[in-house]
Amino acid sequence: IAVSALRALSCFSHSVGMSSVMDTKVAIRTFKAALNEKGSGDASVVERKAVVNGVSKAVKSECAPYVEDLFGCFQHRFQLSSCTDTTVGKMLKCQEQFSAQLLMSN
């Protein structure tokens, strides 16, 4: 695992739980092996679902503060001074970078 991947993993291990991240990493490797062995058809559906579920849970947990900020803006009909395009941008950036880092680390 690259040093940058380890840094990223250490940043969220407190909120996601290392076993969830490790389980997701194992699911990604299993899915890749299934793709090589069985192809991308129905044979790898179970593995694909495990990856999607694991990544979505990890991203949800890691990016929760940004989602909470956005939800707060929504609740106040975007009338708060802190509710800008940056609020949405931070959430999307977190989700994109974190999921990419998780998927690339295998």
Side-chain angles (χ1 to χ4, degrees):
I1 298 177
V3 174
S4 61
L6 288 174
R7 284 187 190 129
L9 289 175
S10 67
C11 290
F12 64 84
S13 62
H14 67 281
S15 61
V16 177
M18 203 48 121
S19 63
S20 297
V21 172
M22 292 302 173
D23 291 344
T24 299
K25 292 170 109 343
V26 168
I28 292 168
R29 285 192 292 275
T30 303
F31 175 61
K32 288 179 179 178
L35 283 177
N36 289 333
E37 184 180 315
K38 305 173 187 176
S40 62
D42 291 340
S44 58
V45 168
V46 172
E47 293 87 355
R48 183 181 301 115
K49 285 181 181 180
V51 169
V52 170
N53 188 39
V55 170
S56 67
K57 284 182 179 179
V59 169
K60 177 182 177 184
S61 180
E62 177 65 16
C63 299
Y66 301 108
V67 174
E68 288 173 13
D69 288 347
L70 181 65
F71 188 67
C73 289
F74 179 76
Q75 285 181 317
H76 292 94
R77 298 189 174 145
F78 295 90
Q79 298 300 312
L80 300 174
S81 62
S82 63
C83 297
T84 64
D85 290 342
T86 304
T87 305
V88 176
K90 286 179 181 179
M91 180 192 68
L92 293 174
K93 183 178 180 180
C94 177
Q95 292 171 339
E96 180 181 359
Q97 288 182 339
F98 187 75
S99 60
Q101 186 67 42
L102 187 59
L103 293 169
M104 298 285 278
S105 64
N106 280 302

Coordinates of all heavy atoms in Angstrom, one line a residue:
I1 N 0.9 -1.2 0.0 CA 0.0 0.0 0.0 C 0.9 1.2 0.0 O 1.9 1.3 0.8 CB -0.9 0.0 1.2 CG1 -1.8 -1.2 1.2 CG2 -1.7 1.3 1.3 CD1 -2.7 -1.3 2.4
A2 N 0.6 2.2 -0.8 CA 1.3 3.4 -0.9 C 1.2 4.2 0.4 O 0.2 4.1 1.1 CB 0.9 4.2 -2.1
V3 N 2.2 5.0 0.6 CA 2.2 5.9 1.8 C 1.0 6.8 1.9 O 0.4 7.0 2.9 CB 3.5 6.7 1.9 CG1 3.5 7.7 3.1 CG2 4.7 5.8 2.0
S4 N 0.7 7.4 0.7 CA -0.5 8.2 0.7 C -1.8 7.5 1.0 O -2.7 8.0 1.7 CB -0.6 8.9 -0.7 OG -0.8 8.0 -1.7
A5 N -1.9 6.2 0.6 CA -3.0 5.4 0.9 C -3.1 5.2 2.4 O -4.2 5.2 3.0 CB -3.0 4.1 0.2
L6 N -2.0 4.9 3.0 CA -1.9 4.7 4.5 C -2.3 5.9 5.2 O -3.1 5.8 6.2 CB -0.5 4.2 4.9 CG -0.1 2.8 4.5 CD1 1.3 2.5 4.9 CD2 -1.0 1.8 5.1
R7 N -1.9 7.1 4.8 CA -2.3 8.3 5.4 C -3.8 8.5 5.3 O -4.4 8.9 6.3 CB -1.6 9.5 4.8 CG -0.1 9.6 5.2 CD 0.5 10.9 4.7 NE 1.9 10.8 4.9 CZ 2.8 11.1 4.0 NH1 2.5 11.4 2.8 NH2 4.1 11.0 4.3
A8 N -4.3 8.2 4.1 CA -5.8 8.4 4.0 C -6.5 7.4 4.9 O -7.5 7.8 5.5 CB -6.2 8.2 2.5
L9 N -6.0 6.2 5.0 CA -6.7 5.2 5.8 C -6.6 5.6 7.3 O -7.6 5.5 8.0 CB -6.1 3.8 5.6 CG -6.3 3.2 4.3 CD1 -5.5 1.9 4.2 CD2 -7.8 2.9 4.1
S10 N -5.5 6.2 7.7 CA -5.4 6.6 9.1 C -6.3 7.7 9.4 O -6.7 7.9 10.6 CB -3.9 6.9 9.4 OG -3.5 8.1 8.8
C11 N -6.6 8.6 8.5 CA -7.5 9.7 8.7 C -8.9 9.3 9.1 O -9.6 10.0 9.8 CB -7.5 10.7 7.5 SG -5.9 11.5 7.3
F12 N -9.4 8.2 8.5 CA -10.7 7.9 8.7 C -10.9 6.6 9.6 O -12.0 6.2 9.8 CB -11.5 7.7 7.4 CG -11.0 6.6 6.6 CD1 -11.5 5.3 6.8 CD2 -10.2 6.8 5.5 CE1 -11.0 4.3 6.0 CE2 -9.7 5.8 4.7 CZ -10.2 4.5 4.9
S13 N -9.9 6.0 10.0 CA -10.0 4.8 10.8 C -10.8 5.0 12.1 O -11.5 4.1 12.5 CB -8.6 4.2 11.1 OG -7.9 5.1 11.9
H14 N -10.7 6.2 12.6 CA -11.5 6.5 13.9 C -13.0 6.5 13.6 O -13.7 6.1 14.5 CB -11.0 7.8 14.5 CG -11.3 9.0 13.7 ND1 -10.6 9.4 12.6 CD2 -12.4 9.9 13.8 CE1 -11.2 10.5 12.1 NE2 -12.2 10.8 12.8
S15 N -13.4 7.0 12.5 CA -14.8 7.1 12.2 C -15.5 5.9 11.6 O -16.6 5.7 11.8 CB -15.1 8.4 11.4 OG -14.5 8.3 10.2
V16 N -14.7 5.2 10.7 CA -15.3 4.1 10.0 C -15.1 2.8 10.7 O -15.9 1.9 10.7 CB -14.7 4.1 8.6 CG1 -15.2 2.9 7.8 CG2 -15.0 5.3 7.8
G17 N -13.9 2.7 11.3 CA -13.5 1.4 11.9 C -12.7 0.7 10.9 O -13.0 0.5 9.8
M18 N -11.5 0.4 11.4 CA -10.5 -0.2 10.4 C -11.1 -1.5 9.8 O -10.8 -1.8 8.7 CB -9.2 -0.5 11.2 CG -8.0 -0.6 10.3 SD -8.0 0.8 9.1 CE -6.4 1.5 9.5
S19 N -11.9 -2.3 10.6 CA -12.4 -3.6 10.0 C -13.3 -3.3 8.8 O -13.2 -4.0 7.8 CB -13.1 -4.4 11.1 OG -14.2 -3.7 11.5
S20 N -14.0 -2.2 8.9 CA -14.9 -1.9 7.7 C -14.1 -1.6 6.5 O -14.4 -2.0 5.4 CB -15.8 -0.7 8.1 OG -16.7 -1.1 9.1
V21 N -13.0 -0.8 6.7 CA -12.2 -0.4 5.6 C -11.5 -1.7 5.1 O -11.4 -1.9 3.8 CB -11.2 0.7 6.0 CG1 -10.2 0.9 4.9 CG2 -11.9 1.9 6.3
M22 N -10.9 -2.4 6.0 CA -10.2 -3.7 5.5 C -11.2 -4.6 4.8 O -10.8 -5.2 3.8 CB -9.5 -4.3 6.7 CG -8.4 -3.5 7.3 SD -7.2 -3.2 5.9 CE -6.1 -2.2 6.8
D23 N -12.4 -4.7 5.4 CA -13.4 -5.6 4.7 C -13.7 -5.1 3.3 O -13.8 -5.9 2.4 CB -14.7 -5.6 5.5 CG -14.6 -6.4 6.8 OD1 -13.6 -7.1 7.0 OD2 -15.4 -6.2 7.7
T24 N -13.8 -3.8 3.1 CA -14.0 -3.2 1.8 C -12.9 -3.5 0.9 O -13.1 -3.8 -0.3 CB -14.3 -1.7 1.9 OG1 -15.5 -1.5 2.8 CG2 -14.6 -1.1 0.6
K25 N -11.6 -3.3 1.4 CA -10.5 -3.6 0.6 C -10.4 -5.1 0.1 O -10.1 -5.3 -1.0 CB -9.2 -3.2 1.3 CG -9.1 -1.7 1.5 CD -8.0 -1.4 2.5 CE -6.8 -0.8 1.9 NZ -6.2 -0.6 0.8
V26 N -10.8 -5.9 1.0 CA -10.9 -7.4 0.7 C -12.0 -7.6 -0.4 O -11.8 -8.3 -1.3 CB -11.1 -8.2 1.9 CG1 -11.5 -9.7 1.6 CG2 -9.9 -8.2 2.8
A27 N -13.1 -6.9 -0.2 CA -14.2 -7.1 -1.2 C -13.8 -6.5 -2.5 O -14.1 -7.1 -3.6 CB -15.4 -6.3 -0.7
I28 N -13.0 -5.5 -2.6 CA -12.5 -4.9 -3.9 C -11.6 -6.0 -4.5 O -11.7 -6.2 -5.7 CB -11.8 -3.6 -3.7 CG1 -12.8 -2.5 -3.2 CG2 -11.1 -3.2 -4.9 CD1 -12.2 -1.2 -2.7
R29 N -10.7 -6.5 -3.8 CA -9.8 -7.5 -4.3 C -10.5 -8.8 -4.8 O -10.3 -9.3 -5.9 CB -8.7 -7.9 -3.3 CG -7.6 -6.9 -3.1 CD -6.4 -7.4 -2.4 NE -6.7 -7.7 -1.0 CZ -6.7 -6.8 0.0 NH1 -6.4 -5.5 -0.3 NH2 -7.0 -7.1 1.2
T30 N -11.5 -9.2 -4.0 CA -12.4 -10.3 -4.4 C -13.1 -10.0 -5.7 O -13.2 -10.9 -6.6 CB -13.3 -10.7 -3.3 OG1 -12.6 -10.9 -2.1 CG2 -14.2 -11.9 -3.6
F31 N -13.7 -8.8 -5.8 CA -14.4 -8.4 -7.0 C -13.5 -8.4 -8.2 O -13.9 -9.0 -9.3 CB -15.0 -7.1 -6.8 CG -15.7 -6.5 -8.0 CD1 -16.8 -7.2 -8.6 CD2 -15.3 -5.4 -8.6 CE1 -17.4 -6.7 -9.8 CE2 -15.9 -4.9 -9.8 CZ -17.0 -5.5 -10.3
K32 N -12.3 -7.9 -8.1 CA -11.4 -7.9 -9.2 C -11.0 -9.3 -9.6 O -10.9 -9.6 -10.8 CB -10.1 -7.1 -8.8 CG -10.4 -5.6 -8.8 CD -9.1 -4.8 -8.4 CE -9.4 -3.3 -8.4 NZ -8.2 -2.6 -8.0
A33 N -10.8 -10.2 -8.6 CA -10.5 -11.6 -9.0 C -11.7 -12.2 -9.7 O -11.5 -13.0 -10.6 CB -10.2 -12.3 -7.7
A34 N -12.9 -11.9 -9.2 CA -14.1 -12.5 -9.8 C -14.3 -12.0 -11.3 O -14.7 -12.7 -12.1 CB -15.4 -12.1 -9.0
L35 N -13.9 -10.7 -11.5 CA -14.0 -10.2 -12.9 C -13.0 -10.9 -13.8 O -13.4 -11.3 -14.9 CB -13.6 -8.7 -12.9 CG -14.7 -7.7 -12.4 CD1 -14.1 -6.3 -12.4 CD2 -15.9 -7.8 -13.3
N36 N -11.8 -11.2 -13.3 CA -10.9 -11.9 -14.1 C -11.3 -13.4 -14.3 O -11.1 -13.9 -15.4 CB -9.5 -11.9 -13.4 CG -8.9 -10.6 -13.5 OD1 -9.1 -9.8 -14.4 ND2 -8.0 -10.3 -12.5
E37 N -11.9 -14.0 -13.3 CA -12.3 -15.4 -13.4 C -13.6 -15.6 -14.1 O -13.7 -16.5 -14.9 CB -12.3 -15.9 -12.0 CG -12.6 -17.4 -11.9 CD -12.7 -17.9 -10.4 OE1 -11.9 -17.5 -9.6 OE2 -13.7 -18.6 -10.1
K38 N -14.6 -14.8 -13.8 CA -15.9 -15.0 -14.2 C -16.4 -14.0 -15.3 O -17.5 -14.3 -15.9 CB -16.9 -15.0 -13.1 CG -16.6 -15.9 -11.9 CD -17.5 -15.6 -10.7 CE -17.1 -16.3 -9.5 NZ -18.0 -16.0 -8.3
G39 N -15.7 -12.9 -15.4 CA -16.2 -11.9 -16.3 C -17.1 -10.9 -15.6 O -17.4 -11.1 -14.4
S40 N -17.6 -9.9 -16.4 CA -18.4 -8.9 -15.7 C -19.9 -9.2 -15.7 O -20.7 -8.3 -15.4 CB -18.2 -7.6 -16.4 OG -18.6 -7.7 -17.8
G41 N -20.3 -10.4 -16.0 CA -21.7 -10.7 -16.1 C -22.3 -11.0 -14.7 O -21.8 -10.5 -13.7
D42 N -23.3 -11.8 -14.7 CA -24.1 -12.1 -13.4 C -23.2 -12.8 -12.4 O -23.5 -12.8 -11.2 CB -25.3 -13.0 -13.7 CG -26.4 -12.2 -14.5 OD1 -26.3 -11.0 -14.4 OD2 -27.2 -12.9 -15.1
A43 N -22.1 -13.5 -12.8 CA -21.3 -14.3 -11.9 C -20.6 -13.4 -10.9 O -20.3 -13.9 -9.8 CB -20.3 -15.1 -12.7
S44 N -20.4 -12.1 -11.1 CA -19.7 -11.3 -10.2 C -20.6 -10.3 -9.5 O -20.2 -9.3 -8.9 CB -18.6 -10.5 -10.9 OG -19.1 -9.8 -12.0
V45 N -21.9 -10.5 -9.6 CA -22.9 -9.6 -9.0 C -22.8 -9.5 -7.4 O -22.8 -8.4 -6.9 CB -24.4 -10.0 -9.3 CG1 -25.4 -9.3 -8.5 CG2 -24.6 -9.8 -10.8
V46 N -22.6 -10.6 -6.8 CA -22.5 -10.6 -5.3 C -21.2 -9.8 -4.9 O -21.3 -9.0 -4.0 CB -22.4 -12.1 -4.8 CG1 -22.0 -12.1 -3.3 CG2 -23.7 -12.8 -5.1
E47 N -20.1 -10.0 -5.6 CA -18.9 -9.3 -5.3 C -19.0 -7.8 -5.5 O -18.6 -7.0 -4.8 CB -17.7 -9.9 -6.1 CG -17.3 -11.3 -5.7 CD -18.1 -12.4 -6.5 OE1 -19.0 -12.0 -7.2 OE2 -17.8 -13.5 -6.3
R48 N -19.7 -7.5 -6.6 CA -19.9 -6.1 -7.0 C -20.8 -5.4 -5.9 O -20.5 -4.3 -5.4 CB -20.6 -5.9 -8.3 CG -20.8 -4.5 -8.8 CD -21.5 -4.4 -10.1 NE -20.8 -5.1 -11.2 CZ -21.3 -6.1 -11.8 NH1 -22.5 -6.6 -11.6 NH2 -20.6 -6.7 -12.8
K49 N -21.8 -6.1 -5.4 CA -22.7 -5.5 -4.4 C -21.9 -5.3 -3.1 O -22.1 -4.3 -2.4 CB -23.9 -6.4 -4.1 CG -24.9 -6.4 -5.2 CD -26.1 -7.3 -4.9 CE -27.1 -7.2 -6.0 NZ -28.3 -8.1 -5.7
A50 N -21.0 -6.2 -2.7 CA -20.2 -6.0 -1.5 C -19.3 -4.8 -1.6 O -19.1 -4.1 -0.7 CB -19.4 -7.3 -1.3
V51 N -18.7 -4.6 -2.8 CA -17.8 -3.4 -3.0 C -18.7 -2.1 -2.9 O -18.3 -1.2 -2.2 CB -17.1 -3.5 -4.4 CG1 -16.4 -2.2 -4.7 CG2 -16.1 -4.6 -4.4
V52 N -19.8 -2.1 -3.6 CA -20.6 -0.9 -3.6 C -21.1 -0.6 -2.2 O -21.0 0.6 -1.7 CB -21.8 -1.0 -4.5 CG1 -22.8 0.1 -4.3 CG2 -21.3 -1.1 -6.0
N53 N -21.5 -1.6 -1.4 CA -22.0 -1.4 -0.1 C -20.8 -0.9 0.8 O -21.0 0.1 1.6 CB -22.6 -2.7 0.5 CG -23.2 -2.5 1.8 OD1 -23.9 -1.5 2.1 ND2 -23.1 -3.5 2.7
G54 N -19.7 -1.5 0.7 CA -18.5 -1.2 1.6 C -18.0 0.3 1.3 O -17.8 1.0 2.2
V55 N -17.9 0.6 0.0 CA -17.4 1.9 -0.3 C -18.4 3.0 0.1 O -18.0 4.0 0.7 CB -17.1 2.0 -1.8 CG1 -16.8 3.5 -2.3 CG2 -15.9 1.1 -2.2
S56 N -19.7 2.7 -0.1 CA -20.7 3.7 0.2 C -20.7 4.0 1.7 O -20.9 5.1 2.2 CB -22.1 3.3 -0.3 OG -22.6 2.2 0.3
K57 N -20.6 2.9 2.5 CA -20.6 3.1 4.0 C -19.4 3.9 4.5 O -19.5 4.7 5.3 CB -20.6 1.7 4.7 CG -22.0 1.1 4.7 CD -22.0 -0.2 5.4 CE -23.4 -0.9 5.4 NZ -23.3 -2.1 6.1
A58 N -18.2 3.6 3.9 CA -17.0 4.2 4.3 C -17.0 5.7 3.9 O -16.7 6.6 4.7 CB -15.8 3.6 3.6
V59 N -17.5 6.0 2.7 CA -17.6 7.4 2.2 C -18.7 8.2 3.0 O -18.4 9.3 3.4 CB -18.0 7.5 0.7 CG1 -18.3 8.9 0.3 CG2 -16.8 6.9 -0.1
K60 N -19.8 7.5 3.3 CA -20.8 8.2 4.2 C -20.2 8.6 5.5 O -20.5 9.7 6.0 CB -22.0 7.2 4.3 CG -23.1 7.7 5.2 CD -24.2 6.7 5.4 CE -25.2 7.3 6.3 NZ -26.3 6.3 6.6
S61 N -19.5 7.7 6.1 CA -18.9 8.0 7.4 C -17.9 9.0 7.4 O -17.9 10.0 8.2 CB -18.4 6.7 8.0 OG -17.8 6.9 9.3
E62 N -17.0 8.9 6.4 CA -15.9 9.9 6.3 C -16.3 11.3 6.0 O -15.8 12.3 6.5 CB -14.9 9.4 5.3 CG -13.7 10.3 5.0 CD -12.8 10.5 6.2 OE1 -12.8 9.7 7.2 OE2 -12.0 11.5 6.2
C63 N -17.3 11.4 5.1 CA -17.8 12.7 4.6 C -19.0 13.2 5.4 O -19.6 14.2 5.0 CB -18.1 12.6 3.1 SG -16.6 12.2 2.2
A64 N -19.3 12.6 6.5 CA -20.5 13.0 7.3 C -20.5 14.5 7.7 O -21.6 15.1 7.6 CB -20.7 12.1 8.5
P65 N -19.4 15.0 8.1 CA -19.4 16.5 8.5 C -19.9 17.4 7.4 O -20.6 18.3 7.6 CB -18.0 16.8 8.9 CG -17.4 15.4 9.3 CD -18.1 14.4 8.4
Y66 N -19.4 17.1 6.2 CA -19.8 17.9 5.0 C -21.3 17.7 4.6 O -21.9 18.7 4.2 CB -18.9 17.6 3.8 CG -17.4 17.8 4.1 CD1 -16.6 16.7 4.3 CD2 -16.9 19.1 4.3 CE1 -15.2 16.9 4.6 CE2 -15.6 19.3 4.6 CZ -14.8 18.2 4.7 OH -13.4 18.4 5.0
V67 N -21.8 16.5 4.8 CA -23.2 16.2 4.5 C -24.0 17.0 5.6 O -25.1 17.5 5.2 CB -23.5 14.7 4.5 CG1 -25.0 14.4 4.4 CG2 -22.7 14.0 3.4
E68 N -23.6 16.9 6.8 CA -24.3 17.6 7.9 C -24.4 19.1 7.6 O -25.4 19.8 7.8 CB -23.7 17.4 9.2 CG -23.9 16.0 9.7 CD -23.1 15.6 11.0 OE1 -22.6 16.6 11.6 OE2 -23.0 14.4 11.3
D69 N -23.2 19.7 7.1 CA -23.2 21.1 6.8 C -24.2 21.4 5.7 O -25.0 22.4 5.8 CB -21.8 21.6 6.3 CG -20.8 21.6 7.4 OD1 -21.2 21.6 8.6 OD2 -19.6 21.7 7.1
L70 N -24.3 20.6 4.7 CA -25.2 20.8 3.6 C -26.6 20.6 4.0 O -27.5 21.4 3.7 CB -24.9 19.8 2.4 CG -25.8 19.9 1.2 CD1 -25.6 21.3 0.5 CD2 -25.6 18.8 0.2
F71 N -26.9 19.7 4.9 CA -28.2 19.5 5.4 C -28.7 20.7 6.3 O -29.8 21.1 6.2 CB -28.3 18.2 6.2 CG -29.7 17.8 6.6 CD1 -30.7 17.4 5.7 CD2 -30.1 17.9 8.0 CE1 -32.0 17.1 6.0 CE2 -31.4 17.5 8.3 CZ -32.3 17.2 7.4
G72 N -27.7 21.2 7.0 CA -28.0 22.4 7.8 C -28.4 23.6 6.9 O -29.4 24.3 7.2
C73 N -27.7 23.7 5.8 CA -28.1 24.7 4.8 C -29.5 24.5 4.3 O -30.3 25.4 4.1 CB -27.1 24.8 3.7 SG -25.5 25.4 4.2
F74 N -29.8 23.2 3.9 CA -31.1 22.9 3.4 C -32.2 23.2 4.4 O -33.2 23.8 4.0 CB -31.1 21.4 3.0 CG -32.4 20.9 2.5 CD1 -32.8 21.2 1.2 CD2 -33.2 20.1 3.3 CE1 -34.0 20.7 0.7 CE2 -34.5 19.7 2.8 CZ -34.8 20.0 1.5
Q75 N -31.9 22.9 5.7 CA -33.0 23.1 6.7 C -33.2 24.6 6.8 O -34.3 25.0 7.2 CB -32.5 22.5 8.0 CG -32.6 21.1 8.1 CD -32.2 20.5 9.5 OE1 -31.2 21.0 10.0 NE2 -33.0 19.6 10.0
H76 N -32.2 25.4 6.6 CA -32.4 26.9 6.7 C -32.6 27.5 5.4 O -32.4 28.7 5.2 CB -31.2 27.5 7.4 CG -31.1 27.1 8.9 ND1 -30.3 26.0 9.3 CD2 -31.7 27.6 10.0 CE1 -30.5 25.9 10.6 NE2 -31.3 26.8 11.1
R77 N -33.0 26.7 4.4 CA -33.3 27.2 3.1 C -32.2 28.1 2.5 O -32.4 29.0 1.8 CB -34.6 28.0 3.1 CG -35.7 27.1 3.5 CD -37.1 27.7 3.3 NE -38.1 26.7 3.6 CZ -39.2 27.0 4.1 NH1 -39.5 28.2 4.4 NH2 -40.1 26.0 4.4
F78 N -30.9 27.6 2.8 CA -29.7 28.2 2.2 C -29.6 29.7 2.6 O -29.0 30.5 1.8 CB -29.6 28.0 0.7 CG -29.4 26.5 0.4 CD1 -30.5 25.7 0.2 CD2 -28.2 26.0 0.4 CE1 -30.4 24.3 -0.1 CE2 -28.0 24.6 0.1 CZ -29.1 23.8 -0.1
Q79 N -30.2 30.1 3.7 CA -30.2 31.5 4.1 C -29.0 31.8 5.1 O -28.7 33.0 5.4 CB -31.5 31.9 4.8 CG -32.7 31.8 3.9 CD -32.6 32.7 2.7 OE1 -32.3 33.9 2.8 NE2 -32.9 32.1 1.5
L80 N -28.3 30.8 5.5 CA -27.1 31.0 6.4 C -26.0 31.6 5.6 O -25.8 31.2 4.4 CB -26.7 29.7 7.0 CG -27.8 29.0 7.9 CD1 -27.2 27.6 8.4 CD2 -28.1 29.9 9.1
S81 N -25.2 32.4 6.2 CA -24.1 33.0 5.5 C -23.0 32.0 5.0 O -22.3 32.2 4.1 CB -23.4 34.1 6.3 OG -22.9 33.5 7.5
S82 N -23.0 30.9 5.8 CA -22.0 29.8 5.4 C -22.4 28.9 4.3 O -21.7 28.1 3.8 CB -21.7 29.0 6.6 OG -22.9 28.3 7.1
C83 N -23.7 29.1 3.8 CA -24.2 28.3 2.7 C -23.9 28.9 1.4 O -24.5 29.7 0.9 CB -25.7 28.2 2.9 SG -26.2 27.3 4.4
T84 N -22.8 28.3 0.8 CA -22.3 28.8 -0.5 C -22.1 27.6 -1.3 O -22.2 26.4 -0.9 CB -21.0 29.6 -0.3 OG1 -20.0 28.7 0.2 CG2 -21.2 30.8 0.6
D85 N -21.7 27.8 -2.6 CA -21.3 26.7 -3.4 C -20.2 25.9 -2.9 O -20.0 24.7 -3.1 CB -20.9 27.3 -4.8 CG -22.1 27.8 -5.6 OD1 -23.2 27.5 -5.2 OD2 -21.8 28.6 -6.6
T86 N -19.4 26.5 -2.0 CA -18.2 25.9 -1.4 C -18.7 24.7 -0.5 O -18.1 23.7 -0.4 CB -17.4 26.9 -0.6 OG1 -17.0 27.9 -1.4 CG2 -16.2 26.2 0.0
T87 N -19.9 24.9 0.1 CA -20.4 23.9 1.0 C -20.7 22.6 0.2 O -20.3 21.5 0.7 CB -21.8 24.4 1.7 OG1 -21.5 25.6 2.3 CG2 -22.3 23.4 2.6
V88 N -21.3 22.7 -0.9 CA -21.6 21.6 -1.8 C -20.2 21.0 -2.3 O -20.0 19.8 -2.4 CB -22.5 21.9 -2.9 CG1 -22.7 20.7 -3.8 CG2 -23.9 22.4 -2.4
G89 N -19.4 21.9 -2.7 CA -18.1 21.5 -3.3 C -17.2 20.7 -2.4 O -16.6 19.7 -2.8
K90 N -17.2 21.1 -1.1 CA -16.4 20.4 -0.1 C -17.0 18.9 0.1 O -16.2 18.0 0.2 CB -16.4 21.1 1.2 CG -15.6 22.3 1.3 CD -15.7 23.0 2.6 CE -14.8 24.2 2.7 NZ -14.9 24.9 4.0
M91 N -18.3 18.8 0.1 CA -18.9 17.5 0.2 C -18.6 16.6 -1.0 O -18.1 15.5 -0.8 CB -20.4 17.6 0.4 CG -21.1 16.2 0.6 SD -22.9 16.3 0.4 CE -23.1 16.7 -1.3
L92 N -18.7 17.2 -2.2 CA -18.5 16.4 -3.4 C -17.0 16.0 -3.5 O -16.7 14.9 -3.9 CB -18.9 17.2 -4.6 CG -20.4 17.4 -4.7 CD1 -20.8 18.3 -5.9 CD2 -21.2 16.1 -4.9
K93 N -16.1 17.0 -3.1 CA -14.7 16.7 -3.2 C -14.3 15.6 -2.2 O -13.5 14.7 -2.6 CB -13.9 18.0 -2.9 CG -12.4 17.8 -2.9 CD -11.7 19.1 -2.7 CE -10.2 18.9 -2.8 NZ -9.5 20.2 -2.5
C94 N -14.9 15.6 -1.0 CA -14.6 14.6 0.0 C -15.0 13.2 -0.6 O -14.3 12.3 -0.5 CB -15.3 14.9 1.3 SG -15.1 13.6 2.5
Q95 N -16.3 13.2 -1.1 CA -16.8 11.9 -1.6 C -15.9 11.4 -2.8 O -15.6 10.2 -2.8 CB -18.2 12.1 -2.0 CG -19.2 12.3 -0.8 CD -20.6 12.7 -1.3 OE1 -20.8 13.1 -2.4 NE2 -21.5 12.5 -0.3
E96 N -15.6 12.3 -3.7 CA -14.8 11.8 -4.8 C -13.4 11.4 -4.5 O -13.0 10.3 -4.9 CB -14.7 13.0 -5.8 CG -13.9 12.7 -7.1 CD -13.8 13.8 -8.0 OE1 -14.4 14.9 -7.8 OE2 -13.1 13.7 -9.1
Q97 N -12.7 12.2 -3.7 CA -11.3 11.8 -3.3 C -11.3 10.6 -2.4 O -10.4 9.8 -2.6 CB -10.7 13.0 -2.6 CG -10.4 14.1 -3.6 CD -9.6 15.3 -2.9 OE1 -9.7 15.5 -1.6 NE2 -9.0 16.1 -3.6
F98 N -12.2 10.5 -1.5 CA -12.1 9.4 -0.6 C -12.4 8.1 -1.3 O -11.7 7.1 -1.1 CB -13.1 9.6 0.6 CG -13.0 8.5 1.7 CD1 -11.9 8.5 2.5 CD2 -13.9 7.5 1.8 CE1 -11.8 7.5 3.5 CE2 -13.8 6.5 2.7 CZ -12.7 6.5 3.6
S99 N -13.5 8.1 -2.1 CA -13.8 6.8 -2.8 C -12.7 6.5 -3.8 O -12.4 5.3 -3.9 CB -15.2 7.0 -3.5 OG -15.1 8.0 -4.5
A100 N -12.1 7.4 -4.5 CA -11.0 7.2 -5.4 C -9.8 6.6 -4.7 O -9.2 5.6 -5.1 CB -10.6 8.4 -6.1
Q101 N -9.5 7.1 -3.5 CA -8.4 6.6 -2.7 C -8.6 5.2 -2.3 O -7.7 4.4 -2.3 CB -8.1 7.5 -1.5 CG -6.9 7.2 -0.7 CD -5.6 7.4 -1.5 OE1 -5.5 8.5 -2.1 NE2 -4.7 6.5 -1.4
L102 N -9.8 4.9 -1.8 CA -10.2 3.6 -1.4 C -10.1 2.6 -2.5 O -9.5 1.5 -2.4 CB -11.6 3.6 -0.8 CG -12.0 2.3 -0.1 CD1 -11.1 1.9 1.1 CD2 -13.4 2.5 0.4
L103 N -10.6 3.0 -3.7 CA -10.6 2.0 -4.8 C -9.2 1.9 -5.4 O -8.9 0.8 -5.9 CB -11.6 2.5 -5.9 CG -13.1 2.5 -5.5 CD1 -13.9 3.2 -6.5 CD2 -13.5 1.0 -5.3
M104 N -8.4 2.9 -5.4 CA -7.1 2.9 -6.0 C -6.1 2.2 -5.1 O -5.0 1.8 -5.5 CB -6.5 4.3 -6.2 CG -7.4 5.1 -7.2 SD -7.1 4.5 -8.9 CE -5.6 5.4 -9.3
S105 N -6.3 2.0 -3.8 CA -5.4 1.4 -2.9 C -5.2 -0.1 -3.0 O -4.5 -0.7 -2.3 CB -5.7 1.8 -1.4 OG -7.0 1.3 -1.1
N106 N -6.0 -0.7 -3.9 CA -5.9 -2.1 -4.1 C -5.0 -2.5 -5.3 O -5.1 -1.9 -6.3 CB -7.3 -2.8 -4.2 CG -7.9 -2.9 -2.9 OD1 -7.4 -3.6 -2.0 ND2 -9.1 -2.3 -2.7

